[in-house]
Amino acid sequence: MSNTKNTEGSQGSQETQDSQESHKKTDNTRTTKRPSPMELLRRARGQLAELTGMEAESVSSFEQTEEGWALEVEVLELERVPDTMSLMASYQVELDPDGELTGYRRVRRYERGRADAHRPGGR
């Protein structure tokens, strides 16, 4: 009988150890796997919409920075008729390396039908 108890005890202890190693592998995978660019864009758009109450229409720039990611997102702020008179806005959005929004700010407003004037050096 004592042999049976030892065998059962060692099997239970092995299962516990296997379970713990499985959790460790899962945790390590979570911490090392970075979101894909498309996942980052979806998260950024969703988080911005949740904070501002306005849906993102497009992402006009996307780049990796030392702190994480920087995006410029185009948002419909005020719908008008005709559609070319609707008021749009560009938001600068900052994400940490895992894709969590760390800050945003509106950088410009414009009518949908207006083209940017050419400015040397960017904005």
Side-chain angles (χ1 to χ4, degrees):
M1 268 193 151
S2 64
N3 286 344
T4 307
K5 285 186 180 180
N6 287 341
T7 305
E8 288 174 0
S10 63
Q11 283 178 347
S13 124
Q14 182 63 37
E15 288 173 7
T16 303
Q17 186 177 0
D18 290 346
S19 176
Q20 288 172 349
E21 286 177 17
S22 169
H23 286 298
K24 284 180 189 174
K25 287 177 186 174
T26 304
D27 292 344
N28 289 340
T29 304
R30 266 189 221 134
T31 57
T32 57
K33 185 178 184 288
R34 293 280 185 229
S36 72
M38 289 308 296
E39 290 172 324
L40 289 167
L41 294 175
R42 284 187 199 104
R43 282 188 198 173
R45 291 175 65 152
Q47 291 175 74
L48 184 64
E50 191 173 338
L51 290 168
T52 64
M54 296 176 281
E55 291 296 319
E57 289 205 351
S58 64
V59 176
S60 55
S61 76
F62 174 67
E63 65 181 311
Q64 191 167 16
T65 66
E66 290 180 13
E67 296 82 27
W69 301 91
L71 296 80
E72 192 158 318
V73 180
E74 308 304 316
V75 172
L76 174 64
E77 285 205 336
L78 181 61
E79 192 168 9
R80 292 185 176 156
V81 176
D83 190 48
T84 55
M85 298 302 291
S86 292
L87 193 58
M88 302 292 295
S90 292
Y91 282 82
Q92 181 71 39
V93 178
E94 297 168 5
L95 307 175
D96 69 14
D98 296 321
E100 295 301 316
L101 193 139
T102 59
Y104 73 94
R105 64 186 164 94
R106 185 174 62 204
V107 292
R108 77 184 169 112
R109 293 177 89 186
Y110 58 97
E111 290 176 342
R112 185 190 294 272
R114 299 262 172 144
D116 286 342
H118 176 69
R119 289 181 270 173
R123 293 183 207 178

